[in-house]
Amino acid sequence: MTRLKTLKWGDWLLLALVLVLISYIWLQISDVLNYRWRWSLVPHYIVGWHDGRKEWFLNLLLQGLAMTIRIVIFATLLAFVFGLVLGLARTSRNLVISLLARTYLELLRNIPPVVIVFIFYFFLSAPLIEFLGLERWGRLIARSGDYQILTLLLGDMRLFPQLVSGVLVLALFESAFIGEIIRSGIESIEVGQREAARSIGMSRIQEMRYIVLPQALRKVVPPLANQFISLIKDSSIVSLISIQELTFKTLELVASSRLVFEGWITCAAFYFVICFLLSRAFARWET
């Protein structure tokens, strides 16, 4: 209420213009496109009722959201490990290691994400999954019905190869940005501290472990948090390689029900709520 009282007439005018714009778009969709809104059907695609089993189940949108959350969590952990290695490699005194890391970072940061996703999927992820036999392993577990903990953590084991593909592709893509963030954090540490560490006989590894990295990681927490939120939004890219996350499931919903606007607006709302809540949580954490 106190914030509402601080709004001036210009703020109210801006809010009124936004509402007018939304209303105009809504009318254009309804009248010009002759679109019939069917919002009453949307809840069924979030949580459905199975008449045979007489129980509720997670329908398309929540299935996709669950897969998105799994992919984002595992991809974040893996991307941080890759990014930390890349950040250390970028600041290495070895010219070859530094150049290789920089080449990787520059390539990924200057090529469209869609191209990178397809390259990683067809040349790395898919051959690796086939080589390790992950698809056959996932099907065996799905048929056995055991390992409920694995099912809880990884979802439907028949889709385990897709989960691995999505995690690998996103982790390798996002690691380039995380690597640059960590590099900037390492280089922000004063040279005097590193010289002092060497003067007391610390090795390069000890210098990084005890002096540089603890300070650098504290400094890069805010940009890493922002990158985590970006990863959630970037996860929609893997729908292009048939990973059944939220965007892919929304495509299925739209194709099967013709709920074009309702489906995509609901999908956008899911992404917005997750990213907004996380951004507010990280903002509180930083303060």
Side-chain angles (χ1 to χ4, degrees), residues 199-219:
S199 69
I200 61 174
M202 280 189 175
S203 64
R204 168 77 171 173
I205 296 176
Q206 290 175 325
E207 172 193 328
M208 280 290 176
R209 179 180 176 183
Y210 296 110
I211 305 298
V212 177
L213 283 181
Q215 297 181 75
L217 290 177
R218 282 197 295 270
K219 289 186 176 183

Side-chain angles (χ1 to χ4, degrees), residues 14-88:
L14 181 60
L15 287 174
L17 289 174
V18 170
L19 290 175
V20 168
L21 178 62
I22 294 173
S23 302
Y24 174 75
I25 294 173
W26 191 283
L27 290 173
Q28 286 289 103
I29 294 172
S30 301
D31 297 338
V32 178
L33 298 180
N34 196 25
Y35 187 80
R36 185 166 61 90
W37 296 92
R38 294 177 291 167
W39 283 105
S40 59
L41 299 178
V42 172
H44 169 72
Y45 290 98
I46 299 175
V47 179
W49 172 257
H50 196 285
D51 292 327
R53 296 195 302 265
K54 302 297 181 182
E55 63 180 11
W56 296 97
F57 66 95
L58 303 183
N59 213 340
L60 288 176
L61 291 176
L62 282 188
Q63 290 172 10
L65 181 61
M67 178 63 85
T68 294
I69 292 172
R70 292 187 185 101
I71 289 173
V72 166
I73 291 174
F74 293 126
T76 299
L77 296 175
L78 197 57
F80 179 77
V81 173
F82 290 161
L84 181 60
V85 173
L86 287 169
L88 292 172

Side-chain angles (χ1 to χ4, degrees), residues 199-258:
S199 69
I200 61 174
M202 280 189 175
S203 64
R204 168 77 171 173
I205 296 176
Q206 290 175 325
E207 172 193 328
M208 280 290 176
R209 179 180 176 183
Y210 296 110
I211 305 298
V212 177
L213 283 181
Q215 297 181 75
L217 290 177
R218 282 197 295 270
K219 289 186 176 183
V220 300
V221 164
L224 283 178
N226 291 331
Q227 193 62 38
F228 175 64
I229 294 174
S230 295
L231 192 149
I232 294 173
K233 293 180 287 185
D234 292 341
S235 66
S236 62
I237 298 174
V238 298
S239 64
L240 297 172
I241 51 176
S242 300
I243 310 298
Q244 298 188 21
E245 44 72 67
L246 182 56
T247 302
F248 185 88
K249 288 294 187 179
T250 303
L251 284 168
E252 286 188 359
L253 185 156
V254 170
S256 61
S257 65
R258 302 298 180 184

